[in-house]
Amino acid sequence: MQRQRFGLVVLLLIGLLLLLNACGGGMDTSKARSRDVIQSGGIAPAEELRVGEYLNYYEQHFAAPVNTALGLDLRLGNTQMPADGGEAWLQTGIQARTTASEEIAPLNLALVIDSSGSMSTTEKMPYVKQSLRVFLRSLAANDRVAIVTYSNDARLLVPSQQVGDGAWIEQAIDRLGTGGSTNLHAGMMMGLEEVARNYDVRRNNLVILMTDGIANQGVTDSTSIASAARAYNDRGIYLSTIGLGRDFNDALLSELARQGKGNYHFIDSAAEMDKVGRRKLAGAVAMCQGGCL
């Protein structure tokens, strides 16, 4: 019997939609980043066109699994299978069960915020503040949060403390200002050290790093910055990154999030900031306990 040949193209939509349990593999930057470059009249660099992140950008809304932790969704793109050869498209999706709130470990979180002069524009710091307010209001009273800012050097704006009634958070956000250069390494290290100082195996230990620029103060070598972070990642402190504007180091932020088993997002508009603030950052509240996928 003559064997029929089919070019089976498998489109893996492994955007693990963990909703309240999203951690690791949550990178969706490439879509928003390339869109911004194209709209500004440029051509997106090939190394920034990461297919997996394009897929993760869109919420698929697969059916929730029943009586199992993971559900598999298979959809054939062809209405009929070609009898004489050709292509058949198969979409494969994986949906995780939503984690019940009582199963979520409390946070030990440090927010590391770029406060350099370039953050002063109307489409950056105001939206960062707005997004942080939305995100931080979603935290539990027993979560621990520290806020670090950095420009020429790093500053511990608020040492790690329990959220409590959250009143101090609004005051801290109001104090965020801008000016100076971008000492990303100093800010990142202070955030990692603050989380390490309060490390608790019963908590989700996480740093979220925001920046709109390329490191130009202090340690600026990308390999050295990533290596410094890895020492903390290996101890179970996770790292997520957020890029704003057009002039940040995409490769570095991507690598920091990948090795830190965190998420990497790009913000190019108020709408995107709102999306990340309300959905993506809020997902950090439920970072998986004891390790990430």
Side-chain angles (χ1 to χ4, degrees):
M1 179 182 296
Q2 183 178 2
R3 298 181 64 181
Q4 295 180 335
R5 295 189 223 174
F6 297 95
L8 182 59
V9 181
V10 180
L11 178 59
L12 295 176
L13 296 180
I14 311 182
L16 296 181
L17 305 181
L18 301 182
L19 299 179
L20 295 179
N21 194 27
C23 68
M27 301 185 192
D28 63 1
T29 297
S30 188
K31 163 66 176 179
R33 173 72 165 168
S34 59
R35 178 185 62 206
D36 182 65
V37 172
I38 292 169
Q39 289 178 345
S40 65
I43 298 177
E47 62 271 15
E48 293 185 10
L49 299 178
R50 296 178 288 268
V51 175
E53 294 179 23
Y54 264 77
L55 300 179
N56 286 339
Y57 184 83
Y58 299 99
E59 296 187 4
Q60 302 298 325
H61 299 294
F62 298 124
V66 178
N67 299 324
T68 183
L70 291 175
L72 181 64
D73 184 281
L74 300 175
R75 305 183 189 187
L76 189 63
N78 302 52
T79 56
Q80 295 181 343
M81 295 294 286
D84 299 322
E87 291 184 345
W89 290 82
L90 177 66
Q91 173 180 291
T92 304
I94 299 177
Q95 173 68 49
R97 184 176 56 198
T98 301
T99 304
S101 59
E102 62 269 17
E103 298 175 6
I104 300 172
L107 277 173
N108 173 27
L109 169 68
L111 289 167
V112 180
I113 304 166
D114 187 344
S115 60
S116 60
S118 57
M119 286 288 293
S120 63
T121 59
T122 56
E123 72 273 13
K124 292 179 184 176
M125 187 57 79
Y127 294 130
V128 168
K129 289 184 176 183
Q130 175 185 340
S131 180
L132 288 177
R133 287 189 175 94
V134 171
F135 167 54
L136 293 172
R137 285 173 190 154
S138 70
L139 299 180
N142 64 336
D143 286 330
R144 296 191 67 92
V145 177
I147 299 179
V148 173
T149 63
Y150 65 94
S151 52
N152 292 331
D153 52 21
R155 176 190 177 197
L156 185 59
L157 187 65
V158 180
S160 180
Q161 60 183 277
Q162 291 199 354
V163 171
D165 63 7
W168 64 268
I169 292 176
E170 294 287 342
Q171 298 172 5
I173 292 174
D174 288 339
R175 289 160 54 196
L176 290 175
T178 58
S181 300
T182 305
N183 196 332
L184 184 148
H185 175 265
M188 180 190 74
M189 294 304 294
M190 183 172 285
L192 290 167
E193 289 163 3
E194 188 68 8
V195 170
R197 188 174 295 113
N198 298 280
Y199 184 87
D200 188 339
V201 70
R202 297 165 298 181
R203 291 178 178 268
N204 293 313
N205 302 279
L206 170 68
V207 172
I208 296 178
L209 171 69
M210 298 183 181
T211 185
D212 78 325
I214 295 174
N216 57 19
Q217 186 86 1
V219 177
T220 59
D221 177 67
S222 295
T223 301
S224 299
I225 293 173
S227 177
R230 188 179 301 112
Y232 288 87
N233 302 151
D234 292 343
R235 294 165 55 186
I237 298 175
Y238 305 114
L239 176 62
S240 290
T241 57
I242 296 176
L244 304 103
R246 295 173 182 167
D247 299 319
F248 62 88
N249 190 331
D250 173 79
L252 174 60
L253 295 191
S254 177
E255 173 61 17
L256 288 175
R258 185 197 63 77
Q259 73 176 28
K261 299 180 182 178
N263 302 291
Y264 171 37
H265 304 291
F266 168 69
I267 305 299
D268 65 341
S269 65
E272 195 72 16
M273 174 62 80
D274 185 67
K275 170 187 172 183
V276 170
R278 292 178 183 272
R279 304 179 203 171
K280 302 297 184 179
L281 286 185
V285 177
M287 287 285 290
C288 50
Q289 186 172 5
C292 289
L293 293 173

